Amino acid sequence: MHIVDGALSNLVVIGGAVAAVGGIAMGLRSLDLDRIPTAGVLSASFFVASLIHVPIGPSSVHLILNGLAGLLLGWAAFPALFVGLLLQAVFFGFGGLTVLGVNTVNIALPAVLAWMIFGRLIGRGSPVHGAIWGGIGGAFAIAATTGFVAISLALSGDEFLPAAKLVFFAHIPVMAIEAVLTGFAVLLARKVKPELFVKGPSA
């Protein structure tokens, strides 16, 4: 999911940087003191989970957990995931600094969309119902991320279209795994600390 330096056109890189700044600003405005520890834990979870790569053909896949981050943080997922991506780029060379904005948008925007669509649903009904919606939200976030990555590559030239298709199909197993992980995490949180979840934007 990490697009590397030099793979995108300048227009896409600049557009991604501007969008990322806007998303981070929105996230910082919504991040109150009570949720800073949650943001730190989720940022660290993303950092560790996405370091473990599983090779599939000429590519590789990894967990992201951005759906869970979005369901718990809402817009605050932007700064939380940005920090994880920045540390990965600086210490391990994953992605790159010039494409940091694009990578942030590709991963954090689906997290916010998952919150907007499923955030209210996971707080309704029993914890099991919440877990089901959480699992769907987790899978949705991965699918949306692969879609945004594919769009970023496609906008940079037709030669990237085969890579864009590979990204989507290679991450179908990841969607299933993240659905299960996010669902169980939501189930546990609904039982132990339901106030962790941020209300949907229309609440």
Side-chain angles (χ1 to χ4, degrees):
M1 291 296 198
H2 294 70
I3 299 176
V4 298
D5 284 329
L8 302 177
S9 66
N10 291 336
L11 187 61
V12 173
V13 169
I14 294 171
V18 172
V21 169
I24 293 169
M26 289 283 292
L28 291 175
R29 287 180 59 187
S30 69
L31 185 61
D32 52 47
L33 290 176
D34 292 338
R35 287 193 297 140
I36 289 178
T38 304
V41 169
L42 288 168
S43 181
S45 299
F46 161 76
F47 177 81
V48 173
S50 57
L51 286 179
I52 305 172
H53 288 239
V54 178
I56 295 182
S59 182
S60 64
V61 298
H62 56 79
L63 297 177
I64 301 178
L65 303 179
N66 58 334
L68 180 61
L71 293 173
L72 288 168
L73 297 174
W75 277 102
F78 254 94
L81 295 172
F82 168 78
V83 170
L85 285 166
L86 176 62
L87 293 176
Q88 287 179 348
V90 171
F91 292 113
F92 299 101
F94 287 177
L97 294 177
T98 63
V99 291
L100 186 58
V102 175
N103 284 331
T104 299
V105 171
N106 288 344
I107 293 175
L109 183 55
V112 175
L113 292 175
W115 165 66
M116 289 181 171
I117 298 170
F118 303 103
R120 289 168 292 151
L121 298 173
I122 60 177
R124 296 177 180 174
S126 68
V128 173
H129 288 134
I132 292 172
W133 285 115
I136 296 172
F140 166 83
I142 298 299
T145 297
T146 59
F148 284 140
V149 170
I151 291 171
S152 299
L153 293 171
L155 289 175
S156 297
D158 293 340
E159 64 272 17
F160 292 109
L161 288 178
K165 294 177 181 178
L166 177 62
V167 166
F168 179 81
F169 288 108
H171 280 82
I172 290 177
V174 179
M175 296 177 201
I177 296 171
E178 294 242 3
V180 173
L181 291 176
T182 305
F184 276 110
V186 169
L187 178 63
L188 178 62
R190 277 290 310 272
K191 291 182 176 180
V192 176
K193 200 170 184 181
E195 65 271 15
L196 278 174
F197 293 102
V198 184
K199 292 182 179 180
S202 63

